[in-house]
Amino acid sequence: MVINTIGMEKVTDIDKVPFNKVCHLTVTRRKLFKKSSYDSTGFFISKNIILTAAHNIHSQIGSKVILIKIQIGQSGDSQLFPSINMSIDNNNRKQLISTPDEYNFAKRQGIRILHDYGVIYIPDEFLPSDFTWNEEFTLNPSNIEINYNKAILCGYPAVKNAGFDGDILYSQEGKIIVNNRNVYGHSFDTYRGNSGGPLFFKNEGKNIVYGIHTFSSSGTILNKNVKNKIKKFIQKLS
């Protein structure tokens, strides 16, 4: 069941495919001597790998991720599995997180968005014993034509003064415009917290992902080069 809210649909059947493989991420950073936590979205692309936006998980001098809380299929006070909490430090950061070398917070938005993707590796010992993977999301194969007119975007918006606490998954369907081979534009209702959510369409029973939401009116396309880098990330981490 879905409930309409400002052009978005509140997902209440959180155990349904593919929403059962979308995660609410709470990422804690240390910026100089201050800690801050941020809400965002991620989604599984294999049993141990979550794909999200690079700006959610990227670390560099002056801003380093120190904790990631993962809530799989959260819906208010309930969720499909217990929360996963992974502490991140200089010893394990490269074993648990990968973002493109080209990504840097100091670069302007138009450059960052070209490389705004990254993965989180969850070791088996952190996963719930009854967690399963049935390819609920599939990265877009090159032989499938993208349906730009029936794009689906979902995520966990987290702007309290707009009525979103970050604990409810919302989904919406619409059209996107491909600005170039790396970036798409859209007119979806999105807020802080949506970053990292999957942009996908349905094809013969599969949920085909071809983009990641990264900025208010645009996102990063999973083109061939991006998919190849993601595969290399997975090989390095797994």
Side-chain angles (χ1 to χ4, degrees):
M1 180 186 298
V2 291
I3 301 172
N4 233 348
T5 305
I6 320 177
M8 300 187 294
E9 297 179 330
K10 183 185 296 185
V11 179
T12 58
D13 297 331
I14 201 69
D15 58 333
K16 302 297 184 184
V17 174
F19 303 119
N20 61 340
K21 292 301 186 291
V22 181
C23 310
H24 174 204
L25 305 178
T26 306
V27 178
T28 302
R29 292 181 173 276
R30 179 180 286 115
K31 295 183 177 181
L32 299 179
F33 302 105
K34 182 181 179 182
K35 294 180 183 179
S36 301
S37 295
Y38 303 89
D39 296 288
S40 56
T41 304
F43 58 100
F44 282 87
I45 57 172
S46 72
K47 183 180 179 183
N48 300 87
I49 298 291
I50 289 175
L51 183 60
T52 186
H55 70 259
N56 294 335
I57 57 174
H58 182 71
S59 290
Q60 63 189 66
I61 295 174
S63 180
K64 297 208 170 181
V65 173
I66 58 173
L67 178 68
I68 301 178
K69 180 180 180 180
I70 302 166
Q71 294 170 276
I72 305 170
Q74 184 187 15
S75 181
D77 294 331
S78 64
Q79 56 195 61
L80 297 179
F81 301 98
S83 299
I84 298 171
N85 292 281
M86 298 200 307
S87 296
I88 311 295
D89 56 35
N90 290 336
N91 294 319
N92 67 5
R93 184 171 287 110
K94 289 185 178 180
Q95 284 74 49
L96 299 176
I97 297 172
S98 280
T99 56
D101 294 336
E102 299 89 345
Y103 191 85
N104 190 301
F105 291 130
K107 294 182 178 179
R108 60 184 177 85
Q109 176 179 320
I111 298 298
R112 294 202 314 272
I113 194 172
L114 303 178
H115 312 286
D116 205 347
Y117 56 90
V119 300
I120 304 167
Y121 172 65
I122 307 177
D124 284 335
E125 58 265 31
F126 283 92
L127 287 171
S129 58
D130 55 344
F131 179 81
T132 59
W133 170 251
N134 297 297
E135 203 175 347
E136 284 83 355
F137 284 112
T138 302
L139 297 188
N140 183 39
S142 57
N143 62 335
I144 294 181
E145 184 178 354
I146 296 174
N147 188 339
Y148 297 110
N149 294 319
K150 288 192 175 181
I152 302 170
L153 180 69
C154 59
Y156 285 92
V159 180
K160 291 186 182 296
N161 60 12
F164 302 108
D165 292 330
D167 59 351
I168 299 292
L169 181 66
Y170 288 85
S171 176
Q172 52 194 308
E173 183 174 318
K175 298 180 181 180
I176 67 164
I177 299 172
V178 177
N179 298 330
N180 57 54
R181 61 189 298 269
N182 300 306
V183 180
Y184 68 85
H186 66 76
S187 57
F188 291 129
D189 293 320
T190 57
Y191 297 83
R192 187 174 62 249
N194 279 104
S195 291
L199 180 81
F200 64 100
F201 67 99
K202 295 184 177 295
N203 181 279
E204 297 183 355
K206 291 184 177 292
N207 299 291
I208 308 297
V209 180
Y210 59 97
I212 302 172
H213 177 69
T214 48
F215 286 97
S216 59
S217 60
S218 56
T220 304
I221 290 177
L222 303 183
N223 58 34
K224 183 178 180 179
N225 290 336
V226 171
K227 287 185 293 183
N228 285 339
K229 286 191 176 182
I230 291 172
K231 290 177 182 177
K232 289 181 179 179
F233 289 164
I234 294 173
Q235 292 171 356
K236 181 182 74 170
L237 295 175
S238 300

